[in-house]
Amino acid sequence: MTQTVQLPLWLFILIVLFAAVTALSHFLLPSVRWFFRRRFERAVTRLNKRLKRPIQPFKLARRHDMIQRLIYDPEVSREIQIYARENKVPEAVAFQKAQEYAREIVPSFSAFAYFSFAMRVAKVLAEAVYRIRWAERNDAIFAEIPEDATPVFVMNHRSNMDYVLVTYMASRTSILSYAVGEWARVWPLSALIRLWGAYFIRRRSRGGLYRKVLSRYVQMATQGGDVQAFYPEGGLSLTGKLQPPKVGLLSYLVDGFDPEGERDIVFIPVAINYDRVLEDRVLMAAHARGDRRFGARVSVVVTFILKKFWERLRGHDTRFGSAAVSFGTPVSLRSYGKPEDVQDLSVELMGRIEDAMPILGVPLVATVLLKGGPQSVMALEGAVASLMAGLPERNFALKGDVATEVRRACRHMRQHGIIAERDGKWRIEAGQEGAAQFYANSIAHFTNAGNDPANAAPAKQLSAPAGS
């Protein structure tokens, strides 16, 4: 027992390392984790005091625990058996496949990354690119949603800036969980998006096992009070108009809803409009080709963001006009009733988004020039004022008088190469009629109604607003 044992130096170092790791894992690391966990819980408590919709325990659950809960869910287990039987593979293989799907979908939310980094970046970027317009009624609509209901933001999709804009605007009230497509599964964007609480979905997946794992995660999140946000159009609009809705995620929410349960689901229609869509040329080119291959490179996006930050630091006005967000009349799923056809509900929600669409200067000027041809400054201001007289006032996202808004819109459109002033008249540049139409389309459902205010009625009251 007291004899000297000789060991090679490398083996002695290896033994010491193993002993150090064992000591850390059993004695030191649990204490460190407990220390940081306590600090994190206190920070979340302070944060919840200023949020209208506090962070729910579901959002703060460990990612590993959520994955385990998801793959052992009874409905997922039945689908695993079906997958194994149909594909003639052992259930262990099917279980592994479900586990891969769960790891792909479930986010790893970090409150620190969300509020200390994501919110600051979103605020700086949004305000560097646009003048933000937030409808006054938005806060009142959100405040009326009962605390025991899960809000679900249903939004139109004009630009990838939608994510930045709505996340920034909603940060005062809640945390959003986005459903993001495969475009975001690139490093390092994928890691950041997971930390911000978003979850990935495969747009083209048709496998029953994948759909079941995804649907159960969405249903668990909703039942846990996690505020959701998704785009029923399923992709960016190529024409500026609202696209026909897809019912994938909406059907998962409806299928998992229990009308007799404790938690209601309240859909909040969100209409987003811009004086300039950053990707407009890319979207119009894809529409002309008849495909959805955008061909945008991450390097181009990063270069654009850095350029805007630099110009902003130098005190230059880097904004491309206004960006507006407006909430429509909410739909309580409990009051609406569980629909037999989810398509009917999706059409209703898209109609409420359409009715809440903000009206901005560039769409107004584009509409007038497309219909009336070249016009002098005074004639253009008069035509825009006449057009506005027949539109719903509640939708205006304009801060100045008509003359100011028209001048501002014309300046942005000229900088973008859509219009030019020649012989004292503003006119659409040759070949830019499609670009003007792209922006006019965002409010075409108002202007094509014959400018009759009666045709611009509020959204149909098929269900009582939340909180009424």
Side-chain angles (χ1 to χ4, degrees), residues 48-308:
N48 281 338
K49 290 180 179 179
R50 73 173 181 85
L51 292 175
K52 295 180 181 178
R53 182 73 52 166
I55 305 174
Q56 299 298 314
F58 176 91
K59 193 75 172 177
L60 302 174
R62 294 173 55 200
R63 182 168 182 264
H64 173 76
D65 296 339
M66 275 305 310
I67 291 174
Q68 294 300 107
R69 178 183 171 188
L70 187 57
I71 59 180
Y72 285 105
D73 180 78
E75 293 187 31
V76 174
S77 297
R78 285 194 293 271
E79 196 63 40
I80 289 173
Q81 295 174 356
I82 295 172
Y83 179 91
R85 184 169 60 251
E86 291 180 347
N87 291 275
K88 297 181 174 57
V89 297
E91 285 193 16
V93 175
F95 180 86
Q96 182 67 30
K97 179 65 69 174
Q99 194 172 42
E100 291 175 6
Y101 291 152
R103 288 173 178 168
E104 178 183 300
I105 293 169
V106 176
S108 52
F109 173 73
S110 167
F112 175 80
Y114 191 92
F115 286 97
S116 297
F117 179 69
M119 289 302 97
R120 293 179 181 178
V121 171
K123 181 179 186 296
V124 173
L125 182 58
E127 293 182 346
V129 180
Y130 296 110
R131 298 179 183 88
I132 309 301
R133 302 287 185 253
W134 178 256
E136 295 180 358
R137 64 178 178 273
N138 291 356
D139 290 333
I141 289 175
F142 192 81
E144 290 178 359
I145 298 175
E147 293 184 1
D148 60 350
T150 299
V152 178
F153 291 90
V154 185
M155 305 171 290
N156 67 305
H157 204 4
R158 295 293 310 280
S159 168
N160 283 311
M161 278 295 293
D162 296 346
Y163 295 99
V164 177
L165 187 63
V166 178
T167 299
Y168 162 49
M169 301 305 289
S171 63
R172 300 174 299 174
T173 57
S174 64
I175 293 176
L176 300 183
S177 290
Y178 276 106
V180 298
E182 293 165 302
W183 63 268
R185 294 177 61 191
V186 294
W187 188 90
L189 188 59
S190 58
L192 290 174
I193 286 177
R194 286 190 188 280
L195 289 174
W196 298 343
Y199 56 95
F200 296 103
I201 59 174
R202 298 183 182 184
R203 297 292 185 186
R204 297 179 179 85
S205 178
R206 295 294 182 267
L209 180 58
Y210 175 81
R211 292 198 300 271
K212 179 57 68 175
V213 175
L214 175 60
S215 66
R216 287 302 297 145
Y217 172 76
V218 173
Q219 291 162 5
M220 287 178 182
T222 307
Q223 292 163 5
D226 192 15
V227 181
Q228 302 289 302
F230 72 97
Y231 302 98
E233 296 168 286
L236 291 167
S237 171
L238 304 183
T239 63
K241 294 181 179 180
L242 294 184
Q243 303 172 97
K246 296 179 173 60
V247 298
L249 283 176
L250 184 60
S251 65
Y252 298 157
L253 292 169
V254 172
D255 291 343
F257 178 67
D258 180 9
E260 304 299 327
E262 297 180 357
R263 187 173 290 277
D264 189 11
I265 295 177
V266 177
F267 296 104
I268 305 175
V270 181
I272 307 171
N273 205 1
Y274 298 90
D275 272 332
R276 178 173 173 182
V277 175
L278 300 183
E279 315 91 329
D280 56 1
R281 304 294 184 182
V282 176
L283 298 174
M284 288 184 284
H287 177 64
R289 293 193 306 268
D291 60 37
R292 298 190 68 86
R293 296 195 306 272
F294 301 136
R297 298 187 302 273
V298 175
S299 59
V300 175
V301 177
V302 173
T303 301
F304 171 81
I305 292 174
L306 293 177
K307 179 182 177 182
K308 286 297 170 187

